[in-house]
Each structure stands twice: as structure tokens, then as C-alpha cells.
């Protein structure tokens, strides 16, 4: 990432679980916003994504007297069948914002993009799709990828990630299919930031296979879907002698562990609204049910996070903003355990300010973040190997304690 807000030059390796720690305004949230930005480009195009954030001058690095002429984002990973960790696929996007050559006014600029996909759709050399200026080109050894003859024209601001954009390439080209699949994954990246007020409200009933909303606003419907799956799976498991709990049973066990006063969670129809459901809690020692609208901030947020970790259909990447916010320290140990288990099925990128949560991490999972006097983020501020050396020198002191004491850096003082 280059010149995206405070991320002037950041290269961040992502493991199954990556947890960023550091002071406020160090740039942790901006890393999450990069993925959100790419998802918005795939959904509504480059201009739509930029305009939603206030335009290029607001999205780019604002240090110094002038904004930078180029903003760049690149992703390496495995999203085609013949890519490997040693020889990954790659996506690069450069946004160029430069003064018009035919004007002397300081406020007249033109935006263009350079976009490049390097993908391993067949054995051997990867295919390369390049969008530069007003042309698109493809280099591939696969005959099915070969474009029609002549110059292939495309709008200067169009992204190949957009699903509604027709590129002048063969519609059945494997390289183009790989681009479409990659774009779909970007659209489905989850940036999870619980809106407690929205989560408390009733939710409309959706179709089976409910996608948990990024703000948890459909919590009631998501829990209903989990419970319906439980009712369908349980008889089959019992008949097969399978004693592993369903996702619903595992979720209920976790809730009773960290919220022992809650005996049961029920999803109930809303009176007079057959198309909506709401959540109610049965609490030890109290008559009747407690509406989720009357539950504490921390209880609702904890319920949302635990539900997230038991999602049977997670996207490839989930980003969680301030996982510890509003959560009792004693519950953070279980959250750390569950997010690590969930990271065996999909990647997680998490931010935290909690030394208690960081205490549960391995040195390979923690990323220390800092910001310099010019407003530039340093992420990571330390390599994983340097963190390991500090842990060994401390004779095994927990990571959260080392970070809080300043031994790892990443503090606000």
C-alpha cells in the first residue's frame, strides 16, 4: 500500500490470524479500509469508491504541501488453480492524479488508472491482463485467452474488477474468469464493525444461507438461520453417532461460558410481523425473557462476535475493528481462542487495544503499528523475527505485557 491515507509505504504479510496493536491513529483502521476500498471498487467502480470517501485528495496521503500524484495498492495471494505461495497471483492498482497538461490552474486535475493482473490459470507462465491509459492488453500462452486483433480500447477510469463492465476480451477467457472470481471475493470481504443499536433491533427474515451483515444489523435473522440448521443437522448427527456439536450448540456453550447468567437464547417472531424475528434472552433468576434491546452493550457485542466465529460460511477474509471494545477482560481469552480456531477456515485481520487479548497471541500473529511525526504509518514497526527475539530476551513475558510496557514499541507515549 502506497499513499493510501497514512499508509505511505506499507507491506504487510497476512497469516491465518493477523492482529494489529498500536495507539489510536497509528493507521490500523486504514489497513482495513484498503480492503473495503477495493470491495467498493468491485461493487461501484473507481469513481464511485473514491467519491464515497470524499475524492482522491481525501483518500491519498495528506502530509506535505501537496497530495501525491499516485496511490498504489497491490495484493499477492493464491486465487487460481496453479498459483502457489512461492509463485502467487498478483493484483496491482495505481491511481494517477495529475494536473491537466493544457491548463495552468492548480485545481484542474485528471484521474487515470493502471491495473494489472498476473494469474496462474494454466501450468507454466502466468497470464497478464493490463489496463493502462485507454487500452487493455493480455499476454497468455492459453489460446482461449487470445484477444481479437486490433487495439483494445477501454475507458481510462474503468476497473476490470467491476462486474458490470464489458472488457474487449473473449468472454470465455480463463484469465478473465479468474479476474471475475477475484473481484467476487473482494466484494465479499467482511469488514466487521458491530453497530450495537442495529443488532438489537428485529431483523427481516431472509433466505437460508444468511450472510451475517458487516454491522451485525441482521443478527436475529443470522441466529435464526443457525438454529434452523441445527434442527436439520442434529437428527442426522445422532443417527450417525456423530457427537460433534452443531454450530448452534457450540455458540450456546460459549455464551454460557462467558455470560453464565444467560441460560438460553431464543429467536422469536415479532408480534404482528410474520416477516421479522427478534432475539430474547432467558436469564437466571428473572421471570420471562429479556429483550436484546434491554441487554447491555457488552452482552450484545459479545453475542455478535461469538456468532461471527461460528459462521459456517465465512468469506475468505474477515476484518474486525477493535475486537476488545466493550468486552470484559475475562471474555477476551475465549475470543482469542475462537478467532484462532475460525482462522483455520478463513483468514482474519483484527485490530485491538487490549494487552489482555494480545497476551493470548503468538509472536507470528501480532503486528506492532506506529506513526511518525509526519503522519506516516509504520506497519509493521517490527519484524516477526524481532518480536520473537524480544520475547525470548524477556524469558517468555506475554506479548500484551511487553507491548503495554513499551518493550515492543507501538505506544502513544
Amino acid at each position: 500500500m502506497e499513499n493510501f491515507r497514512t499508509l505511505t509505504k506499507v507491506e504487510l504479510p497476512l497469516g491465518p490470524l493477523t492482529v494489529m496493536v498500536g495507539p489510536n491513529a497509528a493507521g490500523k483502521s486504514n489497513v482495513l479500509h484498503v480492503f473495503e476500498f477495493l470491495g467498493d471498487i468491485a461493487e461501484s467502480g473507481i469513481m464511485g469508491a473514491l467519491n464515497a470517501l470524499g475524492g482522491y485528495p481525501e483518500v491519498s496521503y495528506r502530509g506535505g504541501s501537496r497530495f501525491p500524484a499516485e496511490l498504489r495498492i497491490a495484493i499477492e495471494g493464491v486465487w487460481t488453480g496453479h498459483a502457489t505461495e512461492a509463485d502467487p497471483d498478483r493484483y496491482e492498482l495505481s491511481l494517477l492524479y495529475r494536473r491537466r497538461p493544457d491548463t495552468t490552474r492548480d485545481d484542474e486535475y485528471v484521474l487515470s488508472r493502471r491495473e494489472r493482473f498476473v494469474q496462474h490459470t494454466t501450468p507454466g507462465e502466468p497470464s497478464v491482463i493490463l489496463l493502462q491509459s485507454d487500452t487493455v492488453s493480455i499476454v497468455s500462452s492459453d489460446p482461449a485467452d487470445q484477444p481479437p486483433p486490433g487495439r483494445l480500447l477501454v475507458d481510462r477510469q474503468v476497473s476490470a474488477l467491476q462486474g458490470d463492465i464489458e472488457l474487449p476480451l473473449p468472454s470465455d477467457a480463463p484469465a478473465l474468469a479468474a479476474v471475475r472470481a477475484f473481484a467476487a471475493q473482494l466484494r465479499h470481504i467482511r469488514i466487521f464493525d458491530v453497530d450495537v443499536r442495529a443488532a438489537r433491533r428485529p431483523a427481516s427474515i431472509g433466505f437460508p444461507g444468511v450472510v451475517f451483515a458487516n454491522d451485525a444489523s441482521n443478527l436475529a435473522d443470522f441466529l435464526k438461520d443457525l438454529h434452523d440448521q441445527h434442527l436439520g443437522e442434529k437428527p442426522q448427527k445422532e443417527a450417525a453417532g456423530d457427537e460433534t456439536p452443531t454450530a448452534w450448540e457450540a455458540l450456546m456453550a460459549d455464551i454460557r461460558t462467558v455470560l453464565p447468567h444467560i441460560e438460553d437464547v431464543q429467536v422469536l417472531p415479532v408480534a404482528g410481523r410474520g416477516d421479522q424475528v427478534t432475539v430474547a434472552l432467558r436469564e437466571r433468576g428473572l421471570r420471562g425473557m429479556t429483550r436484546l434491546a434491554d441487554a447491555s452493550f457488552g452482552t450484545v457485542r459479545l453475542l455478535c462476535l461469538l456468532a461471527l466465529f461460528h459462521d459456517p460460511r465465512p468469506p475468505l477474509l474477515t476484518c474486525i475493528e477493535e475486537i476488545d471494545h466493550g468486552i470484559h477482560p475475562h471474555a477476551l481469552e475465549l475470543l482469542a481462542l475462537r478467532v484462532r480456531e475460525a482462522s483455520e477456515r478463513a483468514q482474519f485481520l483484527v485490530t485491538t487495544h487490549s494487552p489482555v487479548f494480545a497476551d493470548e497471541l503468538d509472536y507470528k500473529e501480532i503486528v506492532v503499528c506506529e506513526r511518525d511525526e509526519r503522519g506516516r504509518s509504520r506497519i509493521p514497526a517490527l519484524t516477526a523475527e524481532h518480536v520473537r527475539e524480544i520475547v525470548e530476551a524477556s524469558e517468555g513475558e506475554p506479548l500484551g505485557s511487553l507491548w503495554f510496557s513499551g518493550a515492543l514499541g507501538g505506544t502513544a507515549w
Side-chain angles (χ1 to χ4, degrees), residues 255-300:
I255 291 172
R256 293 172 185 131
T257 297
V258 294
L259 298 167
H261 62 284
I262 295 180
E263 296 180 334
D264 193 20
V265 176
Q266 295 185 12
V267 182
L268 307 172
V270 176
R273 294 294 303 269
D275 61 339
Q276 289 190 340
V277 287
T278 189
V279 178
L281 311 175
R282 186 177 300 282
E283 299 189 76
R284 182 178 296 118
L286 299 182
R287 297 189 308 275
M289 304 292 290
T290 299
R291 301 182 308 161
L292 198 63
D294 297 325
S296 72
F297 178 97
T299 294
V300 177

Side-chain angles (χ1 to χ4, degrees), residues 166-406:
E166 293 294 332
L167 296 178
L169 298 174
S171 59
D172 58 348
L176 186 58
V179 169
R180 298 289 188 240
F182 174 64
Q185 297 295 349
L186 288 178
R187 282 192 290 271
H188 292 134
I189 285 176
R190 178 181 282 152
I191 313 295
F192 197 66
D193 190 4
V194 177
D195 181 339
V196 170
R197 289 188 177 182
R200 285 174 166 144
R201 300 187 190 113
S204 298
I205 299 174
F207 294 103
V210 174
V211 175
F212 201 9
N214 285 352
D215 61 357
S217 56
N218 66 339
L219 174 64
D221 188 37
F222 181 73
L223 291 179
K224 176 185 181 298
D225 195 55
L226 277 187
H227 189 257
D228 289 347
Q229 290 181 55
H230 160 76
L231 295 178
E233 293 174 6
K234 190 62 176 175
Q236 299 175 17
K237 284 179 172 288
E238 290 176 346
D242 184 356
E243 297 182 357
T244 58
T246 63
W248 177 262
E249 289 173 323
L251 173 59
M252 291 302 103
D254 281 349
I255 291 172
R256 293 172 185 131
T257 297
V258 294
L259 298 167
H261 62 284
I262 295 180
E263 296 180 334
D264 193 20
V265 176
Q266 295 185 12
V267 182
L268 307 172
V270 176
R273 294 294 303 269
D275 61 339
Q276 289 190 340
V277 287
T278 189
V279 178
L281 311 175
R282 186 177 300 282
E283 299 189 76
R284 182 178 296 118
L286 299 182
R287 297 189 308 275
M289 304 292 290
T290 299
R291 301 182 308 161
L292 198 63
D294 297 325
S296 72
F297 178 97
T299 294
V300 177
R301 199 164 189 282
L302 190 52
L303 178 58
C304 292
L305 286 168
L306 289 173
L308 176 75
F309 299 144
H310 292 288
D311 186 348
R313 298 171 299 275
L316 288 184
L317 175 64
T318 293
C319 304
I320 304 177
E321 183 79 77
E322 294 190 23
I323 191 171
D324 55 281
H325 181 47
I327 305 298
H328 192 282
H330 288 166
L332 292 178
E333 182 178 352
L334 179 65
L335 288 186
L337 175 63
R338 290 295 176 257
V339 71
R340 183 175 288 114
E341 291 174 348
S343 72
E344 296 176 2
R345 298 182 289 124
Q347 282 182 295
F348 279 79
L349 177 60
V350 176
T351 72
T352 186
H353 290 117
S354 171
V356 175
F357 186 83
D359 276 344
E360 304 300 322
L361 302 177
D362 181 83
Y363 77 90
K364 294 179 181 179
E365 297 169 336
I366 195 168
V367 173
V368 179
C369 305
E370 296 179 342
R371 186 169 168 178
D372 67 18
E373 65 281 355
R374 295 178 60 184
R376 300 174 301 189
S377 298
R378 296 179 59 237
I379 303 175
L382 298 176
T383 65
E385 182 62 22
H386 195 176
V387 173
R388 183 190 65 78
E389 292 171 354
I390 293 173
V391 172
E392 289 183 353
S394 73
E395 299 183 349
E397 190 74 14
L399 283 168
S401 300
L402 290 172
W403 167 55
F404 189 69
S405 68

